[in-house]
């Protein structure tokens, strides 16, 4: 683990585009947290990722889980991901933490018990109900929570990452909540040059998939990528929009060529 933490910047920067400052912040926060292991009751590390949508927050959590837990799955088995937009009312909370009669164990309770050494990802935490934030406050501070049936669920072996798309987190979260995180990592919007880097990576992935499944050789030029990005990319949605428009543009062209018998295996 020591070697993984010391080389974390290099590991993350291989797969995370245009977020050098965020990667440095994240790596520094994790090293400080791990040095304190055994001297606190909190989880392994607790981090809040902030910034516009599509800037790599969720992808960073995936890469981090691959790196620290040697989890090569896609998605990683040890990435326990929960969309907080699904828990905006009081009635939603038992689905996450369980019911008093134990008829419903709770998705979070079950996930943590099944994978106690993992990354817990709380996406768009600003959308969670206030009562749920209080439960998370206990987890961040004490390393456990009590489920709906009164059972104590240990969270001390988790890396907890919450994400937020809010510009000014101080207007949404109470200071006592923000102060519980080991680090607040800020992701910035992507510029055009970095969008093209991501576009090339997406295109190469699509090419590799078709090469493996249909045994065909495909070339996608930089000029084509730039044309698609210039005409269709919406910066409000970041890297997610790159994936969407390239999947549509490239795969549609490939599908037509295959159906028209204009490409052959080999």
């Amino acid at each position: 683990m020591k070697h993984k933490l010391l080389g974390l910047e290099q590991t993350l920067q291989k797969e995370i585009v245009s977020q050098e400052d965020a990667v440095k912040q994240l790596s520094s926060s994790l090293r400080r947290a791990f040095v304190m292991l055994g001297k606190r009751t909190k989880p392994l590390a607790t981090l809040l990722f902030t910034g516009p949508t599509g800037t790599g927050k969720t992808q960073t959590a995936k890469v981090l889980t691959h790196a620290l837990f040697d989890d090569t799955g896609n998605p990683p088995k040890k990435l326990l991901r929960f969309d907080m937009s699904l828990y905006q009312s009081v009635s939603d909370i038992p689905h996450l933490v369980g019911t008093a009669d134990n008829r419903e164990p709770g998705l979070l309770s079950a996930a943590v018990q099944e994978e106690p050494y993992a990354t817990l990802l709380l996406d768009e935490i600003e959308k969670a109900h206030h009562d749920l934030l209080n439960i998370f406050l206990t987890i961040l501070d004490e390393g456990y929570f009590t489920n709906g049936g009164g059972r104590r669920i240990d969270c001390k072996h988790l890396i907890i990452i919450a994400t937020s798309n809010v510009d000014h987190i101080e207007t949404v979260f109470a200071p006592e909540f923000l102060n519980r995180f080991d680090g607040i990592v800020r992701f910035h919007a992507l510029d055009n040059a970095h969008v093209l880097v991501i576009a090339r990576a997406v295109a190469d992935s699509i090419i590799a998939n078709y090469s493996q499944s249909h045994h065909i050789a495909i070339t996608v030029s930089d000029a084509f990528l730039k044309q698609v990005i210039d005409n269709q990319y919406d910066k409000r949605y970041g890297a997610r929009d790159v994936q969407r428009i390239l999947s549509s543009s490239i795969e549609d062209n490939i599908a037509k060529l295959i159906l028209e018998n204009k490409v052959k295996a080999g």
Side-chain angles (χ1 to χ4, degrees), residues 70 117 135 138 147 215 234 236 243 250:
D70 296 320
Y117 294 84
I135 294 173
T138 300
N147 71 4
H215 306 288
D234 189 334
R236 292 177 299 173
Q243 178 73 53
I250 296 175

Side-chain angles (χ1 to χ4, degrees), residues 77-118:
K77 182 181 178 184
K78 290 186 176 294
L79 180 65
L80 314 179
R81 183 179 179 183
F82 292 91
D83 181 353
M84 292 295 100
S85 68
L86 301 177
Y87 305 98
Q88 299 188 51
S89 70
V90 174
S91 61
D92 296 327
I93 296 176
H95 298 306
L96 200 63
V97 302
T99 55
D101 57 14
N102 287 316
R103 290 182 179 177
E104 187 175 355
L107 296 173
L108 177 60
S109 305
V112 173
Q113 288 179 291
E114 183 177 343
E115 293 288 350
Y117 294 84

Side-chain angles (χ1 to χ4, degrees), residues 62 130 138 157:
K62 291 180 181 178
H130 182 267
T138 300
H157 303 298

Side-chain angles (χ1 to χ4, degrees), residues 203-222:
D204 288 347
S205 177
I206 293 172
I207 291 169
N209 288 339
Y210 274 92
S211 176
Q212 183 175 11
S213 62
H214 289 78
H215 306 288
I216 56 178
I218 303 165
T219 300
V220 177
S221 69
D222 290 341

Side-chain angles (χ1 to χ4, degrees), residues 131-181:
D131 289 354
L132 190 52
L133 291 181
N134 287 334
I135 294 173
F136 292 144
L137 186 63
T138 300
I139 296 175
L140 296 175
D141 203 31
E142 302 294 338
Y144 76 93
F145 70 96
T146 303
N147 71 4
R151 181 176 179 180
R152 182 167 167 154
I153 307 297
D154 189 1
C155 300
K156 292 186 180 66
H157 303 298
L158 297 176
I159 293 174
I160 298 178
I161 297 174
T163 73
S164 175
N165 298 330
V166 175
D167 287 334
H168 303 288
I169 55 174
E170 298 83 3
T171 64
V172 176
F173 302 109
E176 59 266 26
F177 183 73
L178 295 176
N179 289 338
R180 293 305 192 280
F181 288 98

